[in-house]
Amino acid sequence: MTTVAESIAGALYKSGCIKFGTFQIKSGATSPYYIDMARLLSSPKELCLIAQAAADKIKEIMVSERLDKVASIELKGALIVPSIACKVNLPCIIIRKEAKAYGVTGRIAGADVGKGENVLFFDDVVSEGLSKVEGVKPLQELGANVKHLLVVVNREQGGKENLEKMGFQVHALAKVSDIVDVLYRTKNISKTQADAVLAYIKK
């Protein structure tokens, strides 16, 4: 039986979302791999697979807790979250990185944020966790309760642990070490590429 990590690894690889080489990331550091979740838009089958895996995790949470809405921040997470929202039948909120100055102004697009509502925040990856804190802030300022954070990939750079210390519950569909292990076992990447990623996350 295929595990969730195997399914996610296959979808990211087939769609070209995960790349290996030398990449400069947001912090300015270099990374031996890069995940560009926007590539899922070119692969409908893989997009649906990841959306379904995320929906399954949300349904699992909903067995014991009420969730009213799902939210994400532009760009990468916001491209995927509507597909997830359809599968769990929850309204969807998109948070703009900057407030819109014309038309419907502000940072919130899509569903309204109600005071006291339980909102799950979705994003593509978690690294150190700082961007997630910024992402949920507009929801919290409008009175929403944001307890659960869901990402496709945990980059294993301390973000999950940092966020959990702040009181969030962080769920990841897969860890990057598991993805790399699957891709190496299925001969999609070399031992050198796999070792480079594993050494990077152990820094």
Side-chain angles (χ1 to χ4, degrees):
M1 190 176 178
T2 305
T3 66
V4 174
E6 287 169 339
S7 297
I8 299 300
L12 294 180
Y13 185 79
K14 287 173 190 171
S15 59
C17 286
I18 188 163
K19 305 172 193 298
F20 297 89
T22 304
F23 303 93
Q24 185 169 356
I25 55 176
K26 195 172 181 180
S27 65
T30 56
S31 169
Y33 76 101
Y34 187 74
I35 296 174
D36 178 11
M37 213 64 76
R39 291 288 303 167
L40 279 177
L41 299 187
S42 67
S43 301
K45 184 179 175 184
E46 282 67 43
L47 170 61
C48 287
L49 187 151
I50 285 180
Q52 187 60 59
D56 289 344
K57 175 55 72 175
I58 292 170
K59 286 174 184 175
E60 195 179 296
I61 295 167
M62 290 173 72
V63 169
S64 57
E65 294 185 48
R66 189 189 90 241
L67 291 176
D68 300 300
K69 287 166 186 171
V70 292
S72 191
I73 191 164
E74 59 177 1
L75 177 66
K76 306 291 176 60
L79 296 174
I80 307 167
V81 79
S83 299
I84 300 167
C86 286
K87 293 176 184 294
V88 294
N89 194 31
L90 288 176
C92 179
I93 300 161
I94 304 300
I95 303 153
R96 299 187 181 101
K97 286 188 177 175
E98 294 179 5
K100 190 178 170 191
Y102 57 91
V104 180
T105 58
R107 290 189 63 188
I108 301 296
D112 295 326
V113 180
K115 195 170 183 181
E117 287 184 330
N118 295 327
V119 180
L120 177 139
F121 184 84
F122 170 83
D123 210 356
D124 57 346
V125 301
V126 61
S127 299
E128 296 171 358
L130 299 177
S131 63
K132 305 298 169 281
V133 176
E134 288 302 311
V136 303
K137 198 178 287 182
L139 299 170
Q140 293 170 326
E141 287 171 350
L142 289 168
N145 301 315
V146 184
K147 176 181 174 184
H148 294 278
L149 307 181
L150 172 62
V151 297
V152 179
V153 180
N154 176 5
R155 287 178 54 101
E156 297 178 83
Q157 292 177 281
K160 182 177 187 290
E161 294 74 16
N162 290 341
L163 291 164
E164 286 175 345
K165 283 176 189 170
M166 296 177 196
F168 295 106
Q169 288 189 26
V170 183
H171 313 269
L173 299 181
K175 297 187 294 185
V176 73
S177 57
D178 291 337
I179 290 169
V180 165
D181 178 60
V182 170
L183 294 180
Y184 175 63
R185 284 193 284 107
T186 51
K187 297 181 168 53
N188 287 307
I189 62 172
S190 68
K191 188 173 189 304
T192 302
Q193 288 172 314
D195 287 346
V197 176
L198 296 176
Y200 172 75
I201 61 177
K202 285 175 183 173
K203 281 181 182 177

